[in-house]
Amino acid sequence: MASTVGNACAYDLRNKEELMAKRIFVAFAIEDKTQRDFLKGQSLLGLSPFEYVDMSVKEPWKEDWKERCRSRIRGCHGVIALISKNTLNASGAKWEIKCAIDEKKPILGIWAYQGDRTVLPEMAGQKVVPWSWDEIKAFINRV
């Protein structure tokens, strides 16, 4: 992952103003929180000029969580889904992905770990790629 953050420094800032207004929802298994932190860290360090949004569940699910989550997904330009073997059992992340598809939001699946190429049925028909700053940047530019 260090090389991913390092590659972020090469980002072409000419499009920064255009991207500043973009909001990207991040769906992930709680076990992959560190990977989510790496992704969000790029934003916090000013390396990616767009905002990441997630709905991490820190307490037992309440039914209104789904309503609030759907509202946040609707307010985003696209969704990045971090995919790993952990996602197979992550009901929240899988619901977020399904919600994004229902809301017709563009989705980019990113394999969260170099050696993990988990196939997630919920991502059928969606693009899933190895973690790459170029892929993330291209996705943001498209949404």
Side-chain angles (χ1 to χ4, degrees):
M1 297 320 298
S3 64
T4 301
V5 173
N7 289 341
C9 294
Y11 177 70
D12 181 357
L13 294 177
R14 287 175 284 176
N15 295 329
K16 185 174 181 176
E17 289 178 11
E18 177 185 323
L19 296 176
M20 284 296 276
K22 296 201 178 174
R23 297 182 74 204
I24 303 300
F25 189 94
V26 180
F28 65 99
I30 196 65
E31 295 85 356
D32 298 328
K33 180 181 180 296
T34 300
Q35 301 309 98
R36 186 278 320 254
D37 290 347
F38 285 143
L39 184 64
K40 287 184 75 169
Q42 292 173 345
S43 175
L44 296 174
L45 292 172
L47 298 175
S48 59
F50 37 87
E51 177 185 357
Y52 291 108
V53 176
D54 70 60
M55 289 287 293
S56 305
V57 177
K58 296 174 182 70
E59 58 188 58
W61 279 38
K62 296 180 181 173
E63 193 55 36
D64 69 333
W65 174 86
K66 287 184 178 180
E67 293 171 26
R68 289 180 297 147
C69 184
R70 183 174 298 278
S71 177
R72 285 204 180 171
I73 289 172
R74 283 182 184 147
C76 289
H77 293 88
V79 174
I80 292 177
L82 296 179
I83 308 298
S84 77
K85 65 181 185 207
N86 298 316
T87 317
L88 292 170
N89 296 314
S91 58
K94 292 192 304 187
W95 185 89
E96 291 167 345
I97 292 166
K98 183 181 178 322
C99 178
I101 291 168
D102 291 347
E103 295 295 329
K104 298 182 179 18
K105 293 294 179 178
I107 301 175
L108 175 65
I110 297 175
W111 284 304
Y113 302 95
Q114 193 168 31
D116 183 345
R117 296 297 182 258
T118 296
V119 175
L120 190 67
E122 289 78 5
M123 289 295 293
Q126 306 298 323
K127 185 175 184 177
V128 182
V129 299
W131 192 312
S132 152
W133 180 250
D134 288 338
E135 289 283 355
I136 294 168
K137 181 174 69 171
F139 174 71
I140 300 300
N141 284 329
R142 283 192 307 271
V143 298

